[in-house]
Amino acid sequence: NQTMMKLDRELIEVKKKMLDKRLINFDLQEALGKSQPYVTERMKGRKCFDMDEVYILCNLLEIPLNEITKYFPPSEKIRKGA
């Protein structure tokens, strides 16, 4: 699915930040209190993180809140105004 591939590429900024901080998906699982499949589905762009999760990850990855859309871009549905 092209939308999923686009989201996966966009989440590359999150993955870069994780590398910079030497974090792995397990660290995200721990921070979010979620399972490995749950985090993997979101990191691969199959599903979206909810806003509470985004705030937790911004804190963990030291992402300024004014840069949320750089790391967690709006979905295609939102961009199209649906």
Side-chain angles (χ1 to χ4, degrees):
N1 182 323
Q2 193 166 5
T3 302
M4 286 183 194
M5 288 173 53
K6 182 171 177 46
L7 185 56
D8 189 33
R9 281 196 302 272
E10 289 171 340
L11 286 178
I12 195 73
E13 295 301 325
V14 172
K15 294 172 186 174
K16 286 180 192 176
K17 204 61 145 152
M18 288 173 66
L19 282 172
D20 182 49
K21 301 281 180 201
R22 298 178 184 255
L23 298 174
I24 59 174
N25 274 11
F26 181 77
D27 298 302
L28 275 69
Q29 292 166 225
E30 289 286 304
L32 297 171
K34 300 292 184 179
S35 67
Q36 179 267 329
Y38 183 93
V39 171
T40 299
E41 288 263 303
R42 280 142 187 85
M43 290 303 293
K44 290 190 177 222
R46 293 183 187 132
K47 296 188 178 180
C48 295
F49 288 106
D50 69 31
M51 282 308 298
D52 287 341
E53 294 166 342
V54 169
Y55 286 124
I56 291 167
L57 295 177
C58 284
N59 186 47
L60 178 69
L61 299 170
E62 298 178 0
I63 295 170
L65 296 181
N66 64 344
E67 293 183 16
I68 285 176
T69 57
K70 174 182 175 185
Y71 294 89
F72 301 95
S75 69
E76 188 73 22
K77 181 179 172 182
I78 299 298
R79 285 190 292 250
K80 288 184 176 183

